[in-house]
Amino acid sequence: PLGQAARFSGETQAEFGDIETIGDHPFSIAFWMRTIRKTAKTVLHKISDPATRRGLEIYIDRAVQLPGLKRGHTLYIRLAPQWPGSAIEVKSAQKLINGATHHLTISYDGGGKASGLQLFVDGEPWKTITVRDTLEGSIANHSFLAIGDRAIGQPFKGDIDDLRVYDRPLTPAEIRQLA
C-alpha cells in the first residue's frame, strides 16, 4: 500500500480518461488513500458538469476531533444525474482517520438505489447512512475519471495508490484480497 503513491498537493490534477465502466450498470472502484489535510475535499470524480454534478463523486468532509488526539473524516459517495433533485448519496457511519492509510472499495450493483452502493474500508464492510435515495435518470457521461479538478470542488490533498476500476461488484473475498 502506498509504495509508489501519487501525491496530490491540492494543485495537482490527474485524469484517467473516459472510463465507461462507471455509469448506470454495476461497477467497483478500489484504491489506497491517505489524507494529509483536515479540510473537506473531493477525492475522486467523474462529473460532466459542476452545476448538475452528473456522474460519480467521492468526497470527504472536514475532519472532526476524535478521542486520542486524532481527527477523522466522513466519506461521502454520490451518484447523480441532476444534483440535488435526483441522486443517490451515502456517507460512512464511521470516520476515516486523517493521516492514516486506508484501502477503499466502492461497489455499486447498478440498481439505482442507495442499498446497492456498498463501502469497504481496509477489506471490511462499513455501514453507510443514506443521505439521498432519489435517483431518476442516467449518471453516465463522457467525462474523465479524475482527481484534483478545482472546477468540481476543493482538490484532494494526500496520496492515492493502486486505483482500480471493475465492471462488476467485487465479492467480499476479492475486496479482502485487494486490501
Side-chain angles (χ1 to χ4, degrees), residues 37-41 60-63 73 98 154-155 157:
R37 298 274 192 243
K38 60 184 178 184
T39 57
K41 52 193 112 8
I60 54 178
D61 68 356
R62 181 172 179 77
H73 298 275
N98 189 53
Q154 182 71 22
K157 294 180 183 177

Side-chain angles (χ1 to χ4, degrees), residues 29-161:
I29 300 173
F31 57 97
W32 290 94
M33 178 182 83
R34 183 173 68 95
T35 59
I36 57 175
R37 298 274 192 243
K38 60 184 178 184
T39 57
K41 52 193 112 8
T42 301
V43 176
L44 184 70
H45 60 85
K46 188 176 188 314
I47 300 287
S48 63
D49 172 27
T52 64
R53 304 198 88 72
R54 180 185 187 125
L56 163 75
E57 186 172 10
I58 302 167
Y59 64 99
I60 54 178
D61 68 356
R62 181 172 179 77
V64 296
Q65 189 70 44
L66 299 175
L69 300 176
K70 295 179 182 177
R71 292 190 169 273
H73 298 275
T74 300
L75 180 80
Y76 289 80
I77 307 158
R78 179 187 299 155
L79 303 174
Q82 174 71 42
W83 177 258
S86 175
I88 294 171
E89 184 176 33
V90 300
K91 66 180 183 176
S92 61
Q94 297 167 257
K95 303 285 186 194
L96 292 171
I97 302 301
N98 189 53
T101 301
H102 295 285
H103 186 269
L104 304 177
T105 303
I106 291 102
S107 185
Y108 178 57
D109 69 6
K113 297 289 181 193
S115 60
L117 195 55
Q118 294 183 304
L119 170 63
F120 292 79
V121 177
D122 300 327
E124 297 300 321
W126 267 27
K127 183 178 185 282
T128 58
I129 299 165
T130 299
V131 178
R132 282 188 177 20
D133 198 3
T134 59
L135 183 66
E136 293 179 14
S138 175
I139 68 162
N141 65 62
H142 293 291
S143 295
F144 291 167
L145 180 65
I147 301 169
D149 186 349
R150 284 190 179 280
I152 300 301
Q154 182 71 22
F156 178 70
K157 294 180 183 177
D159 301 323
I160 300 282
D161 197 10

